[in-house]
Amino acid sequence: MAEENINEESYSIEAISNLERAIEEFAEIIEDIKSLDANIKVFNSLQLMMNGRRKRLGDLGNVESPDDPMKVQLMVYNKEYIEEILEFIKQNGFPAKNEAGSQYINIRVPKPSRMQLEEIGDDLMRRTNAACSKLTKIKTNTGLRIKAASEKEFIEARIAGISTKKIDLAFERCTKEIRVMGLIKRKKILKLL
């Protein structure tokens, strides 16, 4: 009888496993978010007029900061645009250099502003809320499966109740864990100003 309960109790085991996997995925996502990446976001979104159309720098080249977060490197996809992009960057107040024949424009940038850090923090909170929504979806889907199994008498109502209670407790724990992780990361980002 105990072995039979274990087999019927697989709903909560699967749901808890999925909830914990969602936490791990969220941790991996927020690990890559850094406050000094704000400059990359700014450069990706800068727009200039090119051939009568507005183009974002992120569409004209690859923006990254490989060595130092205070040095942004823009690899321009089309060499014909290098001079025009270099002039645009300088007009926006950023010291920039381009070595002859190179596709790379090297740009020195200041520390991110408070507003830029707030934008990263807001993005982090959106990701936190999305992760919590994912947990809710896991809980709801499993709850519906348990209800259907109970109605079709695949599992007893007592087992369904036990499974649901275990899932509810795991859901609350996992939600708190994600919210705390998000808040700690946001605090780290905003503290670096």
Side-chain angles (χ1 to χ4, degrees), residues 59-115:
D59 295 335
L60 299 171
N62 184 35
V63 182
E64 55 185 24
S65 182
D67 305 322
D68 179 1
M70 304 318 251
K71 294 178 186 175
V72 172
Q73 193 175 59
L74 171 66
M75 186 199 72
V76 181
Y77 299 135
N78 188 341
K79 283 187 175 185
E80 295 173 15
Y81 299 137
I82 289 176
E83 288 303 316
E84 195 173 339
I85 293 171
L86 183 62
E87 190 59 35
F88 172 77
I89 291 170
K90 287 180 179 179
Q91 285 174 357
N92 278 284
F94 298 102
K97 293 180 186 175
N98 170 257
E99 294 177 19
S102 174
Q103 279 184 268
Y104 290 95
I105 296 175
N106 296 308
I107 309 151
R108 297 225 15 106
V109 293
K111 279 188 169 182
S113 70
R114 183 73 180 172
M115 195 163 89

Side-chain angles (χ1 to χ4, degrees), residues 4-191:
E4 188 177 297
N5 286 345
I6 291 172
N7 291 337
E8 291 177 349
E9 217 330 72
S10 65
Y11 291 101
S12 65
I13 294 169
E14 179 188 3
I16 292 168
S17 173
N18 289 339
L19 292 169
E20 289 174 353
R21 189 173 329 110
I23 291 173
E24 291 169 8
E25 289 170 2
F26 178 70
E28 289 173 11
I29 289 170
I30 67 169
E31 185 178 316
D32 295 335
I33 300 173
K34 297 175 182 74
S35 60
L36 297 174
D37 291 341
N39 290 320
I40 293 174
K41 278 189 157 194
V42 168
F43 275 92
N44 271 323
S45 64
L46 282 178
Q47 295 183 356
L48 72 150
M49 290 299 285
M50 186 152 299
N51 300 328
R53 300 175 81 187
R54 283 199 161 304
K55 297 275 188 175
R56 291 181 319 129
L57 278 182
D59 295 335
L60 299 171
N62 184 35
V63 182
E64 55 185 24
S65 182
D67 305 322
D68 179 1
M70 304 318 251
K71 294 178 186 175
V72 172
Q73 193 175 59
L74 171 66
M75 186 199 72
V76 181
Y77 299 135
N78 188 341
K79 283 187 175 185
E80 295 173 15
Y81 299 137
I82 289 176
E83 288 303 316
E84 195 173 339
I85 293 171
L86 183 62
E87 190 59 35
F88 172 77
I89 291 170
K90 287 180 179 179
Q91 285 174 357
N92 278 284
F94 298 102
K97 293 180 186 175
N98 170 257
E99 294 177 19
S102 174
Q103 279 184 268
Y104 290 95
I105 296 175
N106 296 308
I107 309 151
R108 297 225 15 106
V109 293
K111 279 188 169 182
S113 70
R114 183 73 180 172
M115 195 163 89
Q116 291 170 326
L117 294 175
E118 285 288 342
E119 286 176 15
I120 290 177
D122 291 345
D123 180 52
L124 178 64
M125 293 319 294
R126 279 190 292 279
R127 291 173 189 249
T128 302
N129 291 336
C132 288
S133 294
K134 185 176 182 177
L135 295 179
T136 301
K137 185 177 177 183
I138 291 168
K139 176 187 170 198
T140 303
N141 287 344
T142 307
L144 291 172
R145 288 179 44 229
I146 290 171
K147 182 179 176 186
S150 181
E151 286 173 356
K152 293 180 181 180
E153 298 180 359
F154 291 135
I155 61 172
E156 297 174 20
R158 181 181 64 78
I159 299 296
I162 292 170
S163 293
T164 303
K165 188 169 184 163
K166 285 182 180 181
I167 293 167
D168 288 343
L169 291 172
F171 171 77
E172 287 179 30
R173 176 184 54 81
C174 292
T175 302
K176 285 179 187 173
E177 205 169 315
I178 283 181
R179 293 234 178 258
V180 167
M181 288 167 62
L183 286 172
I184 289 171
K185 185 69 172 187
R186 181 180 167 95
K187 212 172 174 182
K188 283 181 184 176
I189 287 169
L190 296 177
K191 198 173 188 179

